[in-house]
Amino acid sequence: MTLPRRQPAWSASFATTAEEHLDDVYAYLVYLTRDRSLAEDLAADTFEKALKLWKRFDPARGSARTWLCRIARTTALDWFRAEERRRRREERSAAPDRLDAGFVEGLSPELEAALRELSAGEREVIALRVLLELDNDEAARVLGISPTAVSTRLSRALKKLEEKVSIHV
């Protein structure tokens, strides 16, 4: 008869660890970004990365909370760098009027007005997912974010669009 192999005391499941520290990681990201919606996106990215790295977590080097906050910080810094690069690309690209005209051509005046009120990032995720019909993975690769973040951003952008269209009607 063989006895079941005993796991070390620290080997909590990832789900348990994530649930235990989710609020702390989210609060830290809200502090870093000063934006609750962005913090939600980054928290999702953080825990996605942490899940992939979970087997490499070493409790001898620090607590799970510290490890998760370190991943969250790296995720936020990566996002800030990517956002800065995106802004520079937009500034170098075509004039906003030309971009907007191409994006909204042939749409109803109400929808055109609502689209113009969205941010460039919101219009971009709508363009990739709705107009170009890219799937989440493809859009994520284009935007340099996770598929989960693409879904979240698209959902929020479409909700804003829907609210703006209903106001204009």
Side-chain angles (χ1 to χ4, degrees), residues 48-118:
E48 184 177 332
K49 288 176 186 176
L51 177 60
K52 291 176 184 174
L53 297 171
W54 181 243
K55 290 180 183 177
R56 293 178 25 196
F57 168 65
D58 180 3
R61 297 183 71 198
S63 70
R65 181 179 181 211
T66 302
W67 180 72
L68 288 166
C69 285
R70 191 169 50 241
I71 294 171
R73 181 178 185 276
T74 302
T75 301
L77 291 175
D78 289 347
W79 184 88
F80 286 124
R81 288 181 195 114
E83 187 65 13
E84 182 59 30
R85 286 190 304 270
R86 183 193 62 77
R87 283 190 192 122
R88 285 194 305 259
R89 275 193 317 270
E90 284 182 2
E91 288 171 5
R92 288 190 310 257
S93 67
D97 290 340
R98 245 183 54 219
L99 285 176
D100 288 346
F103 186 76
V104 298
E105 189 175 317
L107 300 177
S108 71
E110 296 82 15
L111 186 54
E112 182 178 331
L115 282 167
R116 287 183 191 279
E117 292 178 30
L118 295 178

Side-chain angles (χ1 to χ4, degrees), residues 6-12:
R6 192 162 182 208
Q7 295 198 352
W10 62 264
S11 68

Side-chain angles (χ1 to χ4, degrees), residues 99-107 111 115 118 122-135 138-139 154 158 161:
L99 285 176
D100 288 346
F103 186 76
V104 298
E105 189 175 317
L107 300 177
L111 186 54
L115 282 167
L118 295 178
E122 290 166 336
R123 288 192 308 267
E124 183 177 28
V125 76
I126 289 173
L128 292 172
R129 290 287 286 122
V130 178
L131 296 178
L132 297 179
E133 298 179 349
L134 296 182
D135 65 25
E138 293 168 325
L154 178 63
L158 291 174
L161 190 60

